Amino acid sequence: MRQPPVHLLKQMNIFIMEGFMILFVSCVTVRVNLCSPNMPSLKILPLDGHFNFHEVHHAARDFGNRYQFLPMAVLHPKTVSDIATVVKHIWDMGPHSELTVAARGHGHSLQGQSQAHRGIVVHMESLKGPEIQVYTGNFPYADVSGGELWINILHESLKFGLAPKSWTDYLHLTVGGTLSNAGISGQAFRHGPQISNVRQLEVVTGKGEIVYCSEGQNDDLFHGVLGGLGQFGIITRARISLEAAPARVRWIRVLYSDFAAFTRDQEHLISGENSFNYVEGFVIINRTGLLNNWRLSFNPKDPVQASQFKSDGRTLFCLELAKYFSPDKTDIINQEVENLLSELSYIPSTLFVSEVTYTDFLDRVHVSEMKLRSKDLWDIPHPWLNLLIPKSKIHTFAQGVFGNILTETSNGPILIYPVNRSKWDNRTSVVIPEEHIFYLVAFLTSAVPSSTGTDGLEHILIQNKRILEFCETANLGVKQYLPHYTKQEEWQVHFGPRWEKFVQRKSTYDPLAILAPGQRIFQKATPFS
Ligand SMILES: Cc1cc2nc3c(=O)[nH]c(=O)nc-3n(C[C@H](O)[C@H](O)[C@H](O)COP(=O)(O)OP(=O)(O)OC[C@H]3O[C@@H](n4cnc5c(N)ncnc54)[C@H](O)[C@@H]3O)c2cc1C
Ligand SMILES: *[C@@H]1O[C@H](CO)[C@@H](O)[C@H](O)[C@H]1NC(C)=O
Ligand SMILES: *[C@@H]1O[C@H](CO)[C@@H](O)[C@H](O)[C@H]1NC(C)=O
Ligand SMILES: *[C@@H]1O[C@H](CO)[C@@H](O)[C@H](O)[C@H]1NC(C)=O
């Protein structure tokens, strides 16, 4: 066996601590493949697409770059019935087969959620047909594949002057992947998350049935799948609400040193109807380092940028805003933006304004991705931590964490912005705090491989742990977004009063626990109750 590099060994220690079996080395794969008794029966299934039993390594990694579980095979489906056939086949094998199925969108999970140890990974991006269909009219929408990337939906709908309403910060993610979580960004305060902007789904359940669902038809499955962490079905098609797309975006950043003033302004901005179209923000603590530049590309021509503001020793809060407009309305937009800004109490000398196309605005993180890729800083471990924090506790949280547990933000940005619960549908599966307003706080860290310093994986994981412990001790009522737990009791706490419903849906739509095993909520062939 080849000796794994030192930083992998270090990671292995961490994994062992957490009690995981990790397969790193390729010779193990071969043995697993040859020994599998399930392979022959899969090989003879009638499919439009195909299985690959050999090139499976890419399906054993994800954006988090920390967990690697080798599947037995990767399914490249051409049609929905390919997916249904395979799931049905496994369903028919009954509880004694250990085979599981994980839909893999773009593999941008953080902790193995789209992986299936010795199971089947469905490469959802292969499911291209039928192509994206855009419908114009009073309530425009697009019908898209569950494996479609949001960036492709943007390009296609723009041909009709339309675009989806609610986004994620990064568009190289799939519809099925973000709808299984929520899809939260700076538009969510107005439109709700992406799961609030879907009208209809086509789903393959854990029994291999193809089911259409919406508010009016199979509504329990419809709501269950949204934010359902892939537990109840594989989303093969989705109907996404569209709106008229703006041509241009006024993109604004202003700085605060006072956290109370910063959050007061954020909350004020999300409460007004006639406000900005996008409200986010981020924290800058004692800023140094390169990784912090990721996601923060602003105006490449402007050498002075809010995100590059040196904050040596200090903590600053950057409010990020966008106002959409059409070029013939420049005068009106100038006046509106000026009025809105006049109500805010940021540090007067820190107004940074830029103007970009709608596409450039939405696809902004891709620019950072290219930069980081060119420096080999993209495919590195991402020990991200995403929290949803009730508004009433955000000051306690900030006091305990910013400048205290965290003494710098050189490992990556920390996003922070409020959303309004009334735009979320409580019939969906997503778990959010109880209060009317809650904050998304996203620690988007990158770990430098082999580093033992403050930018190393171990250091960041300890920091994450301290943050979670602080939330727990201070009883903040925090919920994790893109949650990750390894024990069912922890999941039960995560879901709280919603656990019963979640289990009930599982027993209805995927009773053998075939789907999305990488979430580690239910285990195949173990009865859940
Ligand atoms: C750079 C970056 C920026 C991000 N920004 C945001 C953001 O602003 N807001 C936000 O909300 N999230 C954000 N995310 C998180 C993102 O929503 C998740 O990574 C999500 O998992 C989507 O990624 P994916 O399409 O690659 O899905 P995968 O990681 O492949 O899958 C995620 C989960 O969903 C399941 N799944 C995948 N496809 C389907 C399907 N068709 N049907 C049913 N289940 C399925 C998988 O089995 C897995 O359990 C960001 C991620 C990255 C890497
Ligand atoms: C949240 O949204 C609802 C519905 O639009 C609105 O009535 C309410 O005032 C908002 N709450 C806050 C605090 O902004
Ligand atoms: C800021 O960062 C520098 C360099 O990492 C460090 O030496 C200094 O102690 C930090 N200051 C504070 C106040 O944390
Ligand atoms: C969802 O919200 C509605 C209206 O606020 C409430 O009546 C209902 O009980 C809630 N349902 C759940 C499951 O929490």
Side-chain angles (χ1 to χ4, degrees), residues 421 425-427 498 501:
R421 196 179 209 280
D425 189 330
N426 67 1
R427 293 167 298 178
R498 305 170 69 88
K501 181 85 186 168

Side-chain angles (χ1 to χ4, degrees), residues 37-151:
N38 299 306
M39 218 165 78
S41 73
L42 292 175
K43 274 189 168 162
I44 57 170
L45 288 177
L47 300 176
D48 301 309
H50 67 279
F51 273 114
N52 194 324
F53 295 92
H54 303 289
E55 283 153 40
V56 297
H57 287 82
H58 74 280
R61 61 171 302 279
D62 57 31
F63 182 77
N65 240 307
R66 296 171 50 211
Y67 294 74
Q68 290 172 279
F69 300 98
L70 277 173
M72 184 190 71
V74 175
L75 172 67
H76 296 266
K78 263 213 180 114
T79 55
V80 174
S81 68
D82 280 356
I83 298 175
T85 300
V86 170
V87 177
K88 176 77 165 55
H89 177 75
I90 295 170
W91 163 252
D92 287 341
M93 288 163 103
H96 301 298
S97 152
E98 287 187 351
L99 271 185
T100 54
V101 178
R104 176 185 161 94
H106 210 44
H108 277 50
S109 294
L110 299 164
Q111 288 127 322
Q113 285 93 337
S114 59
Q115 300 178 27
H117 184 209
R118 299 187 188 196
I120 294 166
V121 168
V122 184
H123 186 256
M124 292 303 295
E125 281 185 74
S126 301
L127 186 70
K128 281 289 180 192
E131 285 173 5
I132 300 171
Q133 309 262 338
V134 176
Y135 296 85
T136 56
N138 285 343
F139 301 98
Y141 59 85
D143 281 343
V144 303
S145 159
E148 195 60 77
L149 295 178
W150 285 99
I151 182 71

Side-chain angles (χ1 to χ4, degrees), residues 181-192:
N181 287 294
I184 314 173
S185 185
Q187 303 86 3
F189 78 90
R190 176 171 294 190
H191 295 293

Side-chain angles (χ1 to χ4, degrees), residues 286 288 313 407-408:
N286 194 12
T288 50
T407 51
E408 52 161 339

